[in-house]
Amino acid sequence: MRILIDYRPALRHRTGVGLWVQKLVEALAALDGNDALAITVFSSSWKDRLSGALPTGVDRVDRRIPVKILNWLWHHRESPAVETLTSSLFDVVHSPSPLLIPSRHAAQLVTIHDTDFLVHPHHGPREIRNDYPVLARTHAHRADGVIVPSSYTGDEVARTLQLPRERITVCPNGAPRWTVRSQPPDNGHILFVGTIAPRKNIDRLLTAYAALRTQREGVPPLVLAGQANPEAAPTLARLSVAPLAGHVHLTGYVDEARLLALYREAVLVVLPSLDEGFGIPALEAMTLGIPLVAARRGALPEVIGDAALFVDPLNIPAITAALNRILTDPTLRDRLVATGLTRAPLFSWRSSANSLVEAYAKAIARRQAAKPR
C-alpha cells in the first residue's frame, strides 16, 4: 500500500494537528508487517524545510512552494495533483485537514479534528474562516474516508455534514511515553495547556481563578501554556491588571521538554473548554498522574472517563469550587490520579495506526468500486 500523508502541520510547532501527524506516521512505520506499507510524507513551504529525522523506511518529498499559495490552489483550483508535485503514484493520499489533496489516482482521505470551524465560522485564521466552512461538506462527501480523533467528533461530523457514520473512522491520540512523576510538587501551579482562544473558555477560567484567590490564601499561580490567537487580545489584557496581575503567567508556545516540566510542576490541570474534539492535555495529565478539573463538554468525558472532577464550563462558581476541592481534598486528588493512571494506557498510537490502515484499505476499495467499468 503506497501512502502519502501531508506532513506540513508538523514542520513548526508539534502540538495539536502537528503532534497528531508526527505520532501517527511514527506508529504506522512501527507496525508489524509494515513492509507492506510504503509511507511518504509530503511537505511544502517557502521558509521551513522538512529537515528532522523520520522513522526508518519513511520517504519524504519536500517542495519549496509557499503554504498559503499551495493551499489556495488545492482548495480553489484542485490543482496541481499530488502526482505532479511528487512524480509518484500512490494508493492513498491523506490530508490532516478537512479539505482534500487533489489526486488523479489515489483514494483520498480527510481529517476533521473538531467541528468548531463549522459551529463558529468566524473563529480561527483567515484561511480557515474563508475556506473550511464553505468547502468542508463537499470535500467530506467526495472523500473516500473521513478520519476523526473521537467518537464524539465522529457523531458531530456525521450530524453536521450529513455524512454516513460508516464513512468515518475514529483514530484517537495515543498516550505519551512519559514516566509517571514520583510525587506532586510542594509548591506547584495550576496549569492550562492549549490555544488561548474563545473555545477554550479562558475568560471564565480567569474569573473563577480570581474568585478563588479572594476566598482563601495560598492559592497557587495559574500558568497558561499555549499560543494566543488574535481574538484573545481582550483576555490577555486582563493578565496585567488586578486581581490577576502577577498571579497568571502566559508562556506562549513551549516545546515538549518545557511542556513536560510544566506538567511535572502542576498541582492540577484545568480544561474548561466549551468544546473539544479530543483533549490531548487531559491524556498527558493522566499519563503523569495529575488530577484534572474538566468541562463536561465535547470529547472530554469520552477521553477522561472518571479521572476528573467535571464541571459545567458556563458555571463560574462551579469552576471555582472544583479548583478549590482538588487543592484542599487529598483523598479526592489520590482517587483522580489513580483513575487517570489506569485509563491513560487505553489510548495508544499503535492501536490508532491499525485503525488508520483499516480505513485506508476501505478507502481504496471504495475508490476502486467507484471507477467506471
Side-chain angles (χ1 to χ4, degrees):
M1 184 186 297
R2 299 166 298 179
I3 302 164
L4 181 131
I5 300 176
D6 184 354
Y7 205 67
R8 291 178 298 165
L11 280 181
R12 288 188 179 181
H13 298 158
R14 293 187 177 177
T15 60
V17 180
L19 177 69
W20 186 85
V21 171
Q22 175 199 356
K23 295 299 184 182
L24 267 182
V25 167
E26 292 175 354
L28 285 170
L31 288 178
D32 294 336
N34 68 355
D35 52 340
L37 305 178
I39 306 166
T40 300
V41 296
F42 174 79
S43 177
S44 173
S45 172
W46 189 253
K47 296 180 180 179
D48 301 311
R49 304 273 57 83
L50 181 51
S51 56
L54 292 171
T56 302
V58 175
D59 294 326
R60 73 182 75 201
V61 175
D62 187 9
R63 297 290 181 256
R64 192 177 290 274
I65 306 172
V67 172
K68 290 183 179 179
I69 291 177
L70 184 57
N71 282 349
W72 190 90
L73 290 170
W74 276 357
H75 301 164
H76 296 275
R77 295 289 183 264
E78 299 192 14
S79 177
V82 72
E83 291 86 353
T84 300
L85 290 172
T86 63
S87 300
S88 300
L89 295 178
F90 301 95
D91 300 305
V92 171
V93 172
H94 185 179
S95 168
S97 86
L99 303 187
L100 293 164
I101 297 173
S103 173
R104 291 189 293 267
H105 306 288
Q108 297 164 285
L109 291 94
V110 297
T111 310
I112 302 180
H113 296 275
D114 59 67
T115 57
D116 187 63
F117 69 93
L118 294 168
V119 178
H120 301 104
H122 56 288
H123 289 173
R126 180 181 299 177
E127 180 183 306
I128 291 178
R129 296 197 309 267
N130 291 345
D131 291 351
Y132 283 25
V134 176
L135 299 174
R137 180 186 300 272
T138 300
H139 283 229
H141 280 266
R142 287 172 49 201
D144 299 296
V146 176
I147 306 300
V148 297
S150 64
S151 294
Y152 164 79
T153 301
D155 291 342
E156 288 297 292
V157 168
R159 179 183 63 82
T160 307
L161 299 182
Q162 297 179 322
L163 195 69
R165 191 63 175 80
E166 60 268 18
R167 296 270 303 282
I168 300 169
T169 300
V170 178
C171 294
N173 290 272
R177 295 180 178 179
W178 292 346
T179 304
V180 179
R181 63 183 186 181
S182 57
Q183 60 183 23
D186 293 328
N187 297 293
H189 50 251
I190 299 169
L191 179 63
F192 165 85
V193 177
T195 306
I196 313 303
R199 177 166 61 100
K200 301 297 185 176
N201 202 28
I202 302 302
D203 273 300
R204 289 189 181 88
L205 171 60
L206 293 178
T207 302
Y209 176 74
L212 181 62
R213 294 195 63 84
T214 67
Q215 294 175 11
R216 57 186 296 264
E217 296 181 351
V219 174
L222 172 63
V223 174
L224 307 176
Q227 288 184 300
N229 72 14
E231 299 167 294
T235 301
L236 300 185
R238 298 180 61 186
L239 307 187
S240 59
V241 297
L244 299 175
H247 303 294
V248 182
H249 309 288
L250 177 66
T251 68
Y253 168 75
V254 293
D255 61 20
E256 184 175 353
R258 175 62 176 146
L259 179 63
L260 179 56
L262 288 172
Y263 272 121
R264 290 196 178 281
E265 292 302 314
V267 293
L268 67 90
V269 168
V270 56
L271 299 171
S273 305
L274 300 176
D275 192 25
E276 285 288 351
F278 182 84
I280 293 174
L283 189 53
E284 292 172 334
M286 291 190 295
T287 299
L288 290 171
I290 306 171
L292 285 161
V293 170
R296 195 179 294 278
R297 288 285 187 95
L300 290 176
E302 176 184 338
V303 173
I304 297 170
D306 296 326
L309 194 56
F310 284 104
V311 295
D312 175 356
L314 301 180
N315 188 332
I316 294 173
I319 299 173
T320 301
L323 295 174
N324 188 56
R325 277 194 65 191
I326 289 186
L327 290 174
T328 58
D329 187 340
T331 301
L332 173 63
R333 289 198 302 269
D334 291 346
R335 176 175 65 80
L336 295 178
V337 166
T339 304
L341 290 174
T342 300
R343 186 163 183 79
L346 300 179
F347 296 86
S348 77
W349 289 111
R350 181 185 182 85
S351 175
S352 191
N354 279 317
S355 297
L356 192 57
V357 171
E358 292 179 10
Y360 288 165
K362 291 179 182 178
I364 292 170
R366 178 182 176 83
R367 178 83 170 196
Q368 292 174 342
K371 288 181 179 179
R373 298 183 181 275

